[in-house]
Protein backbone atom coordinates (compact mmCIF):
# COMPACT_ATOMS: atom_id res chain seq x y z
CA UNK A 1 0.00 0.00 0.00
CA UNK A 2 1.40 3.37 -0.91
CA UNK A 3 0.69 6.31 1.33
CA UNK A 4 -1.84 8.76 -0.05
CA UNK A 5 -0.13 11.70 -1.69
CA UNK A 6 -1.42 15.16 -1.01
CA UNK A 7 -2.33 16.83 -4.29
CA UNK A 8 -3.28 20.39 -5.00
CA UNK A 9 -6.25 21.38 -7.14
CA UNK A 10 -4.12 21.90 -10.27
CA UNK A 11 -2.62 18.45 -9.92
CA UNK A 12 -6.11 16.98 -9.57
CA UNK A 13 -7.26 18.84 -12.68
CA UNK A 14 -4.27 17.48 -14.56
CA UNK A 15 -5.25 13.96 -13.54
CA UNK A 16 -8.77 14.57 -14.81
CA UNK A 17 -7.57 15.79 -18.21
CA UNK A 18 -8.14 12.39 -19.71
CA UNK A 19 -11.63 11.73 -18.32
CA UNK A 20 -13.88 11.74 -21.34
CA UNK A 21 -17.54 11.82 -22.20
CA UNK A 22 -18.33 8.13 -22.78
CA UNK A 23 -20.79 9.10 -25.53
CA UNK A 24 -18.51 11.53 -27.38
CA UNK A 25 -15.06 10.27 -26.36
CA UNK A 26 -13.16 12.93 -28.30
CA UNK A 27 -14.36 15.41 -25.68
CA UNK A 28 -13.00 15.57 -22.15
CA UNK A 29 -15.33 16.53 -19.31
CA UNK A 30 -13.43 19.81 -19.15
CA UNK A 31 -14.05 20.47 -22.88
CA UNK A 32 -17.73 19.82 -22.29
CA UNK A 33 -18.06 22.09 -19.29
CA UNK A 34 -19.24 19.15 -17.18
CA UNK A 35 -16.28 19.56 -14.81
CA UNK A 36 -17.18 22.63 -12.75
CA UNK A 37 -14.85 22.75 -9.81
CA UNK A 38 -12.05 20.97 -7.99
CA UNK A 39 -11.22 21.55 -4.33
CA UNK A 40 -8.71 19.94 -1.99
CA UNK A 41 -9.28 20.02 1.77
CA UNK A 42 -6.55 20.40 4.38
CA UNK A 43 -6.77 16.68 5.09
CA UNK A 44 -6.07 15.98 1.41
CA UNK A 45 -9.58 14.84 0.52
CA UNK A 46 -10.70 15.89 -2.92
CA UNK A 47 -14.08 17.27 -3.98
CA UNK A 48 -14.91 17.23 -7.67
CA UNK A 49 -18.00 19.13 -8.79
CA UNK A 50 -19.72 18.07 -11.98
CA UNK A 51 -22.93 19.16 -13.65
CA UNK A 52 -25.18 17.07 -15.90
CA UNK A 53 -25.59 18.15 -19.51
CA UNK A 54 -29.16 16.82 -19.72
CA UNK A 55 -31.43 15.81 -16.83
CA UNK A 56 -31.56 12.30 -18.19
CA UNK A 57 -27.91 12.09 -19.21
CA UNK A 58 -27.08 8.41 -18.70
CA UNK A 59 -23.34 9.16 -18.79
CA UNK A 60 -23.13 10.87 -15.40
CA UNK A 61 -22.59 7.67 -13.42
CA UNK A 62 -19.87 6.51 -15.81
CA UNK A 63 -18.21 9.92 -15.62
CA UNK A 64 -18.25 9.80 -11.80
CA UNK A 65 -16.76 6.28 -11.88
CA UNK A 66 -14.08 7.39 -14.37
CA UNK A 67 -13.15 10.36 -12.17
CA UNK A 68 -12.68 8.03 -9.18
CA UNK A 69 -10.63 5.65 -11.29
CA UNK A 70 -8.39 8.40 -12.67
CA UNK A 71 -7.71 9.75 -9.18
CA UNK A 72 -7.23 6.29 -7.70
CA UNK A 73 -4.37 5.74 -10.13
CA UNK A 74 -2.57 8.58 -8.38
CA UNK A 75 -3.42 6.94 -5.01
CA UNK A 76 -5.99 9.60 -4.38
CA UNK A 77 -8.95 7.77 -2.88
CA UNK A 78 -10.53 10.31 -0.51
CA UNK A 79 -12.80 11.62 -3.24
CA UNK A 80 -16.24 13.16 -3.04
CA UNK A 81 -18.15 13.80 -6.23
CA UNK A 82 -20.76 16.48 -5.99
CA UNK A 83 -23.41 17.15 -8.60
CA UNK A 84 -24.28 20.80 -8.97
CA UNK A 85 -27.36 21.84 -10.95
CA UNK A 86 -27.11 25.62 -10.78
CA UNK A 87 -26.23 27.37 -12.97
CA UNK A 88 -27.69 24.94 -15.48
CA UNK A 89 -25.32 23.57 -18.09
CA UNK A 90 -25.48 25.22 -21.48
CA UNK A 91 -23.81 24.48 -24.78
CA UNK A 92 -22.15 27.90 -24.40
CA UNK A 93 -19.75 26.17 -22.02
CA UNK A 94 -18.26 24.02 -24.77
CA UNK A 95 -14.72 25.25 -25.28
CA UNK A 96 -13.49 26.50 -28.66
CA UNK A 97 -11.26 23.42 -28.78
CA UNK A 98 -14.31 21.25 -28.20
CA UNK A 99 -16.13 22.82 -31.14
CA UNK A 100 -13.16 22.14 -33.40
CA UNK A 101 -12.96 18.53 -32.21
CA UNK A 102 -16.66 18.01 -32.90
CA UNK A 103 -16.27 19.29 -36.47
CA UNK A 104 -13.31 16.97 -37.01
CA UNK A 105 -15.41 13.90 -36.25
CA UNK A 106 -18.36 15.05 -38.35
CA UNK A 107 -20.61 16.48 -35.63
CA UNK A 108 -21.89 20.00 -36.25
CA UNK A 109 -21.17 22.07 -33.11
CA UNK A 110 -24.05 24.00 -31.52
CA UNK A 111 -24.75 27.42 -32.96
CA UNK A 112 -23.26 30.21 -30.90
CA UNK A 113 -25.21 32.76 -28.85
CA UNK A 114 -27.65 30.34 -27.28
CA UNK A 115 -28.73 33.01 -24.82
CA UNK A 116 -30.98 34.04 -27.70
CA UNK A 117 -34.24 32.41 -26.58
CA UNK A 118 -35.65 32.49 -30.09
CA UNK A 119 -33.53 29.47 -30.93
CA UNK A 120 -35.66 27.45 -28.51
CA UNK A 121 -38.88 28.60 -30.10
CA UNK A 122 -38.04 27.89 -33.72
CA UNK A 123 -35.80 25.46 -35.53
CA UNK A 124 -32.18 26.50 -35.55
CA UNK A 125 -31.14 28.05 -38.81
CA UNK A 126 -27.80 27.88 -40.49
CA UNK A 127 -26.54 24.54 -39.18
CA UNK A 128 -23.60 23.96 -41.53
CA UNK A 129 -22.71 20.51 -42.82
CA UNK A 130 -19.54 19.35 -41.00
CA UNK A 131 -18.32 17.58 -44.16
CA UNK A 132 -18.76 20.04 -47.02
CA UNK A 133 -19.63 23.13 -44.89
CA UNK A 134 -22.76 23.77 -46.96
CA UNK A 135 -25.47 25.71 -45.16
CA UNK A 136 -28.16 23.97 -47.20
CA UNK A 137 -29.18 21.42 -44.56
CA UNK A 138 -32.43 20.09 -43.13
CA UNK A 139 -33.58 18.66 -39.82
CA UNK A 140 -34.41 14.96 -39.95
CA UNK A 141 -35.17 14.40 -36.28
CA UNK A 142 -35.05 16.49 -33.10
CA UNK A 143 -33.27 13.57 -31.47
CA UNK A 144 -30.16 11.81 -32.74
CA UNK A 145 -27.83 9.07 -31.61
CA UNK A 146 -27.61 10.45 -28.06
CA UNK A 147 -29.76 12.79 -25.96
CA UNK A 148 -27.56 15.77 -26.78
CA UNK A 149 -27.71 15.47 -30.56
CA UNK A 150 -30.24 16.03 -33.34
CA UNK A 151 -30.12 14.39 -36.76
CA UNK A 152 -29.63 16.54 -39.87
CA UNK A 153 -29.13 15.89 -43.55
CA UNK A 154 -27.03 17.94 -45.98
CA UNK A 155 -28.81 18.81 -49.22
CA UNK A 156 -25.52 19.53 -50.97
CA UNK A 157 -23.49 16.38 -50.29
CA UNK A 158 -26.56 14.35 -49.25
CA UNK A 159 -24.82 13.02 -46.13
CA UNK A 160 -26.67 12.74 -42.84
CA UNK A 161 -24.89 14.19 -39.80
CA UNK A 162 -25.32 14.77 -36.07
CA UNK A 163 -25.86 18.26 -34.74
CA UNK A 164 -24.92 18.96 -31.13
CA UNK A 165 -28.14 20.62 -29.92
CA UNK A 166 -28.17 24.10 -28.50
CA UNK A 167 -29.33 24.15 -24.93
CA UNK B 1 -45.41 23.47 5.96
CA UNK B 2 -42.53 21.01 5.57
CA UNK B 3 -44.97 18.14 4.90
CA UNK B 4 -46.73 20.27 2.26
CA UNK B 5 -43.30 21.09 0.83
CA UNK B 6 -42.39 17.40 0.65
CA UNK B 7 -45.72 16.57 -0.93
CA UNK B 8 -45.40 19.36 -3.50
CA UNK B 9 -41.95 18.31 -4.72
CA UNK B 10 -42.92 14.64 -4.58
CA UNK B 11 -45.92 15.29 -6.83
CA UNK B 12 -43.75 17.05 -9.38
CA UNK B 13 -41.40 14.06 -9.28
CA UNK B 14 -44.31 11.62 -9.66
CA UNK B 15 -45.58 13.45 -12.76
CA UNK B 16 -42.16 13.16 -14.35
CA UNK B 17 -41.69 9.52 -13.33
CA UNK B 18 -45.09 8.24 -14.41
CA UNK B 19 -45.07 10.11 -17.71
CA UNK B 20 -41.50 8.95 -18.33
CA UNK B 21 -42.57 5.36 -17.68
CA UNK B 22 -45.42 5.71 -20.19
CA UNK B 23 -43.14 7.26 -22.83
CA UNK B 24 -40.59 4.48 -22.36
CA UNK B 25 -43.26 1.95 -23.35
CA UNK B 26 -42.89 3.18 -26.94
CA UNK B 27 -39.26 2.09 -27.04
CA UNK B 28 -39.02 -0.43 -29.86
CA UNK B 29 -42.63 0.20 -30.96
CA UNK B 30 -42.62 3.69 -32.48
CA UNK B 31 -43.71 4.07 -36.11
CA UNK B 32 -40.19 4.68 -37.44
CA UNK B 33 -36.62 4.71 -36.18
CA UNK B 34 -36.14 8.46 -35.66
CA UNK B 35 -39.34 8.59 -33.64
CA UNK B 36 -38.32 5.59 -31.60
CA UNK B 37 -35.09 7.38 -30.67
CA UNK B 38 -36.93 10.63 -29.99
CA UNK B 39 -39.46 8.89 -27.75
CA UNK B 40 -36.76 7.05 -25.79
CA UNK B 41 -34.76 10.26 -25.35
CA UNK B 42 -37.82 12.16 -24.16
CA UNK B 43 -38.58 9.34 -21.71
CA UNK B 44 -35.01 9.57 -20.44
CA UNK B 45 -35.30 13.32 -19.89
CA UNK B 46 -38.43 12.73 -17.82
CA UNK B 47 -36.84 9.99 -15.74
CA UNK B 48 -33.80 12.21 -15.17
CA UNK B 49 -36.14 14.99 -14.09
CA UNK B 50 -37.91 12.54 -11.76
CA UNK B 51 -34.59 11.51 -10.20
CA UNK B 52 -33.67 15.13 -9.38
CA UNK B 53 -37.11 15.90 -7.96
CA UNK B 54 -37.45 12.69 -5.97
CA UNK B 55 -33.93 13.12 -4.54
CA UNK B 56 -34.90 16.60 -3.47
CA UNK B 57 -38.20 15.35 -1.99
CA UNK B 58 -36.20 12.73 -0.12
CA UNK B 59 -33.94 15.40 1.37
CA UNK B 60 -36.96 17.48 2.44
CA UNK B 61 -38.61 14.47 4.06
CA UNK B 62 -35.39 13.52 5.81
CA UNK B 63 -36.48 9.99 6.67
CA UNK B 64 -33.85 8.18 4.66
CA UNK B 65 -36.17 7.15 1.84
CA UNK B 66 -34.00 7.81 -1.20
CA UNK B 67 -35.13 8.42 -4.79
CA UNK B 68 -35.27 4.67 -5.48
CA UNK B 69 -37.34 3.94 -2.38
CA UNK B 70 -39.75 6.69 -3.37
CA UNK B 71 -40.03 5.41 -6.95
CA UNK B 72 -40.14 1.68 -6.36
CA UNK B 73 -41.48 1.08 -2.87
CA UNK B 74 -44.52 3.30 -2.57
CA UNK B 75 -48.04 2.07 -3.21
CA UNK B 76 -50.54 3.54 -5.61
CA UNK B 77 -52.35 5.66 -3.03
CA UNK B 78 -49.09 7.41 -2.12
CA UNK B 79 -48.42 8.60 -5.68
CA UNK B 80 -49.50 12.17 -6.34
CA UNK B 81 -49.19 12.47 -10.11
CA UNK B 82 -51.91 13.97 -12.27
CA UNK B 83 -54.25 11.37 -13.78
CA UNK B 84 -53.37 12.52 -17.32
CA UNK B 85 -49.81 11.18 -16.88
CA UNK B 86 -50.90 7.62 -16.11
CA UNK B 87 -53.45 7.17 -18.93
CA UNK B 88 -52.39 4.41 -21.34
CA UNK B 89 -50.53 5.63 -24.43
CA UNK B 90 -53.31 4.87 -26.91
CA UNK B 91 -52.30 5.59 -30.50
CA UNK B 92 -49.47 7.89 -31.53
CA UNK B 93 -51.82 10.88 -31.76
CA UNK B 94 -53.02 10.31 -28.19
CA UNK B 95 -49.47 10.06 -26.85
CA UNK B 96 -48.29 13.20 -28.63
CA UNK B 97 -51.36 15.34 -27.99
CA UNK B 98 -51.00 14.49 -24.28
CA UNK B 99 -47.30 15.23 -24.52
CA UNK B 100 -47.96 18.60 -26.09
CA UNK B 101 -50.50 19.60 -23.42
CA UNK B 102 -48.05 18.59 -20.68
CA UNK B 103 -44.92 19.96 -22.37
CA UNK B 104 -46.43 23.44 -22.54
CA UNK B 105 -47.58 23.09 -18.91
CA UNK B 106 -44.10 22.03 -17.82
CA UNK B 107 -42.39 24.73 -19.82
CA UNK B 108 -44.51 27.42 -18.12
CA UNK B 109 -44.28 25.77 -14.70
CA UNK B 110 -40.49 25.44 -14.75
CA UNK B 111 -40.09 28.95 -16.14
CA UNK B 112 -41.96 30.19 -13.06
CA UNK B 113 -40.22 27.82 -10.62
CA UNK B 114 -36.84 29.28 -11.55
CA UNK B 115 -37.82 32.07 -9.14
CA UNK B 116 -38.90 29.64 -6.39
CA UNK B 117 -37.90 30.37 -2.78
CA UNK B 118 -36.74 26.73 -2.72
CA UNK B 119 -33.29 27.14 -4.26
CA UNK B 120 -32.77 23.50 -5.12
CA UNK B 121 -36.15 23.39 -6.84
CA UNK B 122 -35.26 26.59 -8.71
CA UNK B 123 -32.02 24.95 -9.90
CA UNK B 124 -33.86 21.84 -11.09
CA UNK B 125 -36.41 24.05 -12.86
CA UNK B 126 -33.67 26.04 -14.63
CA UNK B 127 -32.34 22.78 -15.98
CA UNK B 128 -35.71 21.23 -16.86
CA UNK B 129 -37.19 24.29 -18.55
CA UNK B 130 -34.77 24.08 -21.47
CA UNK B 131 -35.67 20.46 -22.09
CA UNK B 132 -39.39 21.13 -21.70
CA UNK B 133 -39.13 23.84 -24.37
CA UNK B 134 -37.37 21.39 -26.67
CA UNK B 135 -40.01 18.73 -26.01
CA UNK B 136 -42.83 21.22 -26.63
CA UNK B 137 -41.36 22.10 -29.99
CA UNK B 138 -41.39 18.48 -31.09
CA UNK B 139 -44.81 17.54 -29.69
CA UNK B 140 -46.21 20.84 -31.02
CA UNK B 141 -44.93 19.96 -34.49
CA UNK B 142 -46.70 16.61 -34.29
CA UNK B 143 -49.97 18.21 -33.21
CA UNK B 144 -49.76 20.41 -36.33
CA UNK B 145 -48.92 17.48 -38.59
CA UNK B 146 -51.74 15.32 -37.22
CA UNK B 147 -54.34 18.08 -37.11
CA UNK B 148 -53.50 19.61 -40.45
CA UNK B 149 -52.70 16.24 -42.04
CA UNK B 150 -54.98 13.58 -43.51
CA UNK B 151 -58.64 13.02 -42.56
CA UNK B 152 -57.51 10.00 -40.58
CA UNK B 153 -54.78 11.80 -38.63
CA UNK B 154 -57.09 14.77 -38.02
CA UNK B 155 -59.86 12.53 -36.65
CA UNK B 156 -57.44 10.70 -34.38
CA UNK B 157 -55.89 13.89 -33.05
CA UNK B 158 -59.33 15.38 -32.38
CA UNK B 159 -60.48 12.20 -30.62
CA UNK B 160 -57.34 12.27 -28.47
CA UNK B 161 -57.86 15.92 -27.60
CA UNK B 162 -61.54 15.34 -26.72
CA UNK B 163 -60.58 12.46 -24.44
CA UNK B 164 -57.70 14.33 -22.79
CA UNK B 165 -59.31 17.70 -22.24
CA UNK B 166 -61.19 16.58 -19.12
CA UNK B 167 -57.87 15.68 -17.53
CA UNK B 168 -56.33 19.14 -17.89
CA UNK B 169 -58.43 20.90 -15.24
CA UNK B 170 -56.44 19.16 -12.52
CA UNK B 171 -53.26 20.91 -13.66
CA UNK B 172 -54.55 24.35 -12.79
CA UNK B 173 -56.90 23.81 -9.85
CA UNK B 174 -54.92 24.59 -6.71
CA UNK B 175 -55.44 22.41 -3.64
CA UNK B 176 -54.26 23.01 -0.05
CA UNK B 177 -50.68 21.99 -0.88
CA UNK B 178 -50.50 24.36 -3.86
CA UNK B 179 -51.95 27.20 -1.80
CA UNK B 180 -49.46 26.67 1.02
CA UNK B 181 -46.56 26.54 -1.44
CA UNK B 182 -47.69 29.65 -3.26
CA UNK B 183 -47.96 31.50 0.06
CA UNK B 184 -44.42 30.41 0.90
CA UNK B 185 -43.10 31.70 -2.42
CA UNK B 186 -42.16 28.19 -3.48
CA UNK B 187 -44.83 27.60 -6.14
CA UNK B 188 -46.33 29.95 -8.73
CA UNK B 189 -49.89 31.21 -9.06
CA UNK B 190 -51.75 28.45 -10.88
CA UNK B 191 -54.53 30.71 -12.12
CA UNK B 192 -52.01 32.86 -13.96
CA UNK B 193 -50.21 29.80 -15.27
CA UNK B 194 -53.48 28.29 -16.47
CA UNK B 195 -54.51 31.43 -18.34
CA UNK B 196 -51.16 31.56 -20.12
CA UNK B 197 -51.32 27.82 -20.94
CA UNK B 198 -54.77 28.22 -22.41
CA UNK B 199 -53.69 31.11 -24.59
CA UNK B 200 -50.74 29.18 -26.05
CA UNK B 201 -52.51 25.84 -26.42
CA UNK B 202 -55.70 27.24 -27.94
CA UNK B 203 -53.81 29.25 -30.56
CA UNK B 204 -51.81 26.16 -31.47
CA UNK B 205 -54.89 23.94 -31.70
CA UNK B 206 -56.57 26.44 -33.99
CA UNK B 207 -53.46 26.49 -36.20
CA UNK B 208 -53.66 22.69 -36.29
CA UNK B 209 -57.33 22.94 -37.39
CA UNK B 210 -58.43 21.16 -34.21
CA UNK B 211 -61.48 22.17 -32.16
CA UNK B 212 -60.93 23.23 -28.58
CA UNK B 213 -63.25 20.91 -26.60
CA UNK B 214 -65.93 22.38 -24.33
CA UNK B 215 -65.10 22.79 -20.63
CA UNK B 216 -67.42 20.33 -19.00
CA UNK B 217 -66.70 17.58 -16.50
CA UNK B 218 -63.13 17.50 -15.18
CA UNK B 219 -61.38 14.51 -13.65
CA UNK B 220 -59.60 15.04 -10.34
CA UNK B 221 -57.96 13.06 -7.55
CA UNK B 222 -54.47 12.17 -8.75
CA UNK B 223 -52.78 14.52 -6.31
CA UNK B 224 -54.58 12.86 -3.37
CA UNK B 225 -53.64 9.40 -4.58
CA UNK B 226 -57.03 8.53 -6.07
CA UNK B 227 -55.91 7.08 -9.37
CA UNK B 228 -57.46 5.52 -12.45
CA UNK B 229 -57.64 1.76 -12.92
CA UNK B 230 -54.53 2.02 -15.14
CA UNK B 231 -52.16 3.16 -12.39
CA UNK B 232 -51.93 -0.20 -10.61
CA UNK B 233 -50.80 -1.98 -13.74
CA UNK B 234 -48.26 0.71 -14.54
CA UNK B 235 -46.74 0.40 -11.07
CA UNK B 236 -46.83 -3.39 -11.19
CA UNK B 237 -44.61 -3.29 -14.25
CA UNK B 238 -42.37 -0.45 -13.07
CA UNK B 239 -41.86 -1.79 -9.54
CA UNK B 240 -41.82 -5.52 -10.24
CA UNK B 241 -38.10 -6.15 -9.91
CA UNK B 242 -37.68 -4.28 -6.61
CA UNK B 243 -40.80 -5.89 -5.19
CA UNK B 244 -39.80 -9.40 -6.23
CA UNK B 245 -36.13 -9.04 -5.25
CA UNK B 246 -36.02 -6.40 -2.49
CA UNK B 247 -32.81 -4.42 -2.44
CA UNK B 248 -31.57 -5.90 -5.72
CA UNK B 249 -28.75 -3.82 -7.13
CA UNK B 250 -26.73 -4.05 -10.31
ZN1 LIG C 1 -22.58 18.42 -46.89
Amino acid sequence: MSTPVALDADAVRALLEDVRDPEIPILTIDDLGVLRDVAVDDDGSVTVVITPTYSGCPAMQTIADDIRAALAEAHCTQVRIETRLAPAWTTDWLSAAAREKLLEVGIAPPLEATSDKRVLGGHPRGVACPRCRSGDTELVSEFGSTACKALYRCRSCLEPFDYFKCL
Amino acid sequence: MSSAHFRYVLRLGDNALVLGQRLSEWCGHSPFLEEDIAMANTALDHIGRARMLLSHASAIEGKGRDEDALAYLRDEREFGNFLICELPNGDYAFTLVRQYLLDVYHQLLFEALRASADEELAAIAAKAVKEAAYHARRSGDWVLRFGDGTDESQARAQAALDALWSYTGELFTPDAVDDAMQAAGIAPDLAQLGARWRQIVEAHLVAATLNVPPDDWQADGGREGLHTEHMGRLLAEMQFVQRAYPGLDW
Side-chain angles (χ1 to χ4, degrees):
Chain A
M1 280 282 285
S2 9
T3 15
V5 193
L7 297 164
D8 64 11
D10 285 342
V12 172
R13 280 188 175 272
L15 288 170
L16 298 181
E17 253 166 29
D18 209 39
V19 176
R20 286 156 190 283
D21 176 356
E23 290 185 337
I24 312 176
I26 47 146
L27 298 183
T28 68
I29 55 173
D30 194 32
D31 284 337
L32 261 175
V34 161
L35 179 62
R36 300 312 300 159
D37 202 8
V38 171
V40 181
D41 268 1
D42 293 342
D43 65 358
S45 67
V46 172
T47 303
V48 178
V49 182
I50 53 177
T51 193
T53 52
Y54 286 75
S55 304
C57 180
M60 290 309 284
Q61 188 57 51
T62 308
I63 288 174
D65 291 345
D66 290 349
I67 288 173
R68 285 183 195 285
L71 296 179
E73 278 193 31
H75 309 293
C76 175
T77 49
Q78 291 283 89
V79 179
R80 211 162 65 86
I81 295 175
E82 209 176 276
T83 303
R84 186 187 294 161
L85 296 177
W89 182 84
T90 140
T91 35
D92 290 345
W93 292 352
L94 283 174
S95 64
R99 289 168 183 275
E100 274 307 309
K101 287 188 199 170
L102 284 171
L103 265 178
E104 277 166 28
V105 295
I107 299 170
L111 296 172
E112 310 251 11
T114 50
S115 53
D116 183 351
K117 292 286 187 302
R118 283 171 301 181
V119 180
L120 291 172
H123 298 301
R125 298 275 172 240
V127 174
C129 169
R131 288 186 183 76
C132 72
R133 307 291 157 110
S134 162
D136 188 15
T137 60
E138 62 182 341
L139 177 74
V140 177
S141 171
E142 299 276 14
F143 294 88
S145 56
T146 64
C148 56
K149 287 177 264 166
L151 189 62
Y152 272 72
R153 183 188 296 123
C154 175
R155 289 205 196 91
S156 299
C157 71
L158 307 178
E159 287 290 326
F161 64 91
D162 271 336
Y163 166 62
F164 201 112
K165 295 189 296 209
C166 256
L167 205 75
Chain B
M1 161 53 200
S2 82
S3 82
H5 190 192
F6 167 65
R7 190 75 194 155
Y8 181 74
V9 176
L10 183 73
R11 294 189 328 196
L12 296 180
D14 286 347
N15 285 329
L17 180 66
V18 170
L19 188 59
Q21 173 72 14
R22 279 296 184 218
L23 289 170
S24 73
E25 290 172 13
W26 278 107
C27 189
H29 300 278
S30 299
F32 50 93
L33 184 61
E34 286 81 2
E35 270 307 299
D36 206 86
I37 293 167
M39 213 50 123
N41 271 311
T42 309
L44 204 56
D45 281 345
H46 282 78
I47 290 164
R49 186 191 294 174
R51 289 189 61 182
M52 296 191 293
L53 289 164
L54 292 180
S55 295
H56 183 39
S58 161
I60 296 167
E61 189 188 40
K63 290 185 183 163
R65 285 202 287 183
D66 66 4
E67 56 180 288
D68 289 328
L70 289 174
Y72 296 121
L73 302 177
R74 274 181 306 148
D75 288 329
E76 179 180 339
R77 290 293 294 267
E78 297 168 85
F79 274 80
N81 55 284
F82 295 126
L83 301 177
I84 190 171
C85 300
E86 73 204 42
L87 298 177
N89 286 332
D91 58 15
Y92 219 59
F94 189 93
T95 297
L96 280 154
V97 170
R98 165 174 60 191
Q99 196 58 34
Y100 173 69
L101 299 174
L102 288 172
D103 285 344
V104 175
Y105 161 77
H106 279 124
Q107 189 181 350
L108 295 172
L109 176 72
F110 290 132
E111 253 168 40
L113 284 175
R114 286 181 304 182
S116 173
D118 175 342
E119 281 177 21
E120 177 69 10
L121 184 57
I124 294 170
K127 184 123 209 79
V129 69
K130 300 201 260 183
E131 292 154 10
Y134 201 84
H135 297 156
R137 194 167 85 195
R138 168 174 169 267
S139 56
D141 272 357
W142 272 110
V143 168
L144 281 179
R145 286 165 77 174
F146 284 136
D148 202 11
T150 64
D151 289 347
E152 174 76 14
S153 72
Q154 218 268 353
R156 287 189 184 220
Q158 187 65 55
L161 185 61
D162 292 344
L164 285 160
W165 201 250
S166 299
Y167 290 91
T168 57
E170 202 178 20
L171 311 184
F172 305 107
T173 314
D175 66 1
V177 170
D178 294 309
D179 288 340
M181 288 302 98
Q182 195 195 330
I186 290 172
D189 178 359
L190 280 182
Q192 245 176 40
L193 202 80
R196 184 88 187 95
W197 179 85
R198 233 187 136 101
Q199 208 179 10
I200 295 169
V201 166
E202 286 191 4
H204 195 72
L205 294 177
V206 169
T209 70
L210 293 168
N211 299 317
V212 178
D215 289 309
D216 40 24
W217 173 81
Q218 290 289 334
D220 200 0
R223 284 171 294 179
E224 296 89 63
L226 303 173
H227 292 279
T228 66
E229 71 204 73
H230 311 292
M231 184 68 173
R233 265 170 264 176
L234 179 145
L235 291 181
E237 188 169 323
M238 188 180 82
Q239 298 182 332
F240 172 79
V241 174
Q242 277 307 318
R243 298 289 196 177
Y245 306 96
L248 183 73
D249 198 9
W250 72 88

